[in-house]
Amino acid sequence: MRDIQNEEDTRKIPLDKVGVRGVKYPVTVLDKNQKLQPTCATVDLYVNLPHNFKGTHMSRFIQVFHKYHSDISMQHFLEMLEEIRVKLEAQEAYGKISFPYFVTKKAPVSESEGIMEYQCSYEATVRENKRKFFVNIAVPVTTLCPCSKAISENGAHNQRGTVRVKLLYSDFFWIEDVIEGIEKCASSPLYSVLKRKDEKFVTEMAYDNPRFVEDVVREVYLFLRSFPIKKPFKWFSVECENEESIHYHNAYAYTEYGKV
């Protein structure tokens, strides 16, 4: 059969990325407590296309990804992209998978169990002699306003915030350990199940630990700089966004460390 994709293109325009986007696929990722966790990912996969090629073979992206979907760990993600690069005869391959990651979490006093969802993603670029791999983790938290506490005779306003970190992979780590560390940098963690004695505990915890978005970002920065892995992160970014409870705007802060 005629292979149109492999025919020569005469317009001499190289393309930075061609591939598949928004693919929904069941995947299995590593889980610190359960060893493996099944979840569902949204997948984007691309390669560069030299100017002389008319197109790429879209089905090959899915064929290669299917081989790895039952164990798409951090280590295997790069192997998968390298295989895509080689099979499609490309100089560079790119990939991103976004997935909900679920953690069983006990309430702080009653120890009632519930499940929390954290949005995560892997993204990477692979060339023959160069690789970059990032892990993104979004952690919902509670923050209580230090200014509100300082000027109010009774109480202080709090809000739900989201901390997002992007980590340049240097050594294996558990997603759960990053989540736990980030939650300690906020006024209080969030929980899916809280009894009344738990509500009292987290309300008072937040009141005793007021945090601006600026405070949260700085605390997470310090946490990541001292994160216990053999090869420290060479680069990371941290952002926090609060859905303000008494203002008609969100509060936001961002910083990054190192060089990509």
Side-chain angles (χ1 to χ4, degrees):
M1 296 177 68
R2 184 179 174 186
D3 190 351
I4 298 292
Q5 288 97 326
N6 277 342
E7 293 184 2
E8 185 175 359
D9 194 282
T10 60
R11 287 165 287 189
K12 297 184 179 180
I13 302 172
L15 301 179
D16 294 333
K17 291 182 179 181
V18 297
V20 296
R21 190 177 220 180
V23 178
K24 302 290 186 180
Y25 225 82
V27 297
T28 302
V29 296
L30 292 180
D31 184 305
K32 185 177 181 180
N33 296 316
Q34 305 298 323
K35 296 186 179 180
L36 295 173
Q37 179 178 142
T39 184
C40 186
T42 300
V43 184
D44 304 329
L45 299 169
Y46 318 102
V47 293
N48 73 301
L49 189 70
H51 70 86
N52 54 310
F53 283 99
K54 194 171 189 68
T56 191
H57 293 271
M58 299 294 180
S59 61
R60 293 181 187 173
F61 290 97
I62 307 301
Q63 286 176 317
V64 175
F65 185 78
H66 183 78
K67 286 176 55 179
Y68 290 86
H69 82 284
S70 60
D71 183 6
I72 196 70
S73 61
M74 297 178 187
Q75 299 97 319
H76 291 164
F77 190 68
L78 289 171
E79 294 175 18
M80 180 266 299
L81 284 181
E82 175 63 13
E83 186 170 337
I84 286 175
R85 187 187 72 81
V86 172
K87 285 206 169 184
L88 290 169
E89 301 179 41
Q91 296 172 321
E92 199 162 13
Y94 315 83
K96 181 176 182 179
I97 63 168
S98 304
F99 55 92
Y101 189 77
F102 298 97
V103 176
T104 300
K105 195 171 180 181
K106 292 183 178 180
V109 181
S110 69
E111 297 190 342
S112 300
E113 285 193 348
I115 293 177
M116 287 287 295
E117 175 191 350
Y118 301 90
Q119 289 297 322
C120 302
S121 66
Y122 300 157
E123 56 181 302
T125 303
V126 172
R127 295 179 68 91
E128 186 174 357
N129 298 312
K130 189 175 181 181
R131 297 180 174 188
K132 288 182 181 178
F133 178 35
F134 299 93
V135 179
N136 299 277
I137 305 170
V139 182
V141 296
T142 293
T143 60
L144 184 132
C145 178
C147 181
S148 176
K149 178 179 177 179
I151 64 176
S152 301
E153 293 184 8
N154 298 297
H157 81 84
N158 58 18
Q159 52 275 316
R160 183 183 300 177
T162 302
V163 179
R164 296 181 177 88
V165 297
K166 185 173 184 177
L167 310 169
L168 177 61
Y169 184 86
S170 57
D171 194 14
F172 178 79
F173 62 89
W174 291 107
I175 290 174
E176 292 90 337
D177 292 341
V178 175
I179 292 171
E180 183 179 357
I182 290 173
E183 290 178 334
K184 290 178 180 178
C185 296
S187 298
S188 171
L190 295 185
Y191 299 87
S192 59
V193 178
L194 290 174
K195 300 295 186 180
R196 279 179 294 176
K197 54 187 176 182
D198 299 308
E199 290 187 13
K200 178 179 185 298
F201 181 88
V202 297
T203 300
E204 293 173 347
M205 174 190 288
Y207 191 80
D208 291 337
N209 294 280
R211 294 282 192 275
F212 291 124
V213 286
E214 298 93 329
D215 295 317
V216 175
V217 166
R218 286 172 172 145
E219 290 296 322
V220 174
Y221 181 101
L222 293 174
F223 159 66
L224 293 174
R225 287 285 287 118
S226 61
F227 190 79
I229 49 178
K230 293 180 181 179
K231 298 177 182 178
F233 298 118
K234 293 181 179 179
W235 180 91
F236 60 77
S237 67
V238 185
E239 64 179 356
C240 181
E241 184 171 2
N242 281 349
E243 298 180 10
E244 291 286 297
S245 59
I246 64 170
H247 301 103
Y248 193 55
H249 59 253
N250 289 357
Y252 179 82
Y254 172 92
T255 194
E256 58 184 65
Y257 164 81
K259 294 182 179 181
V260 180

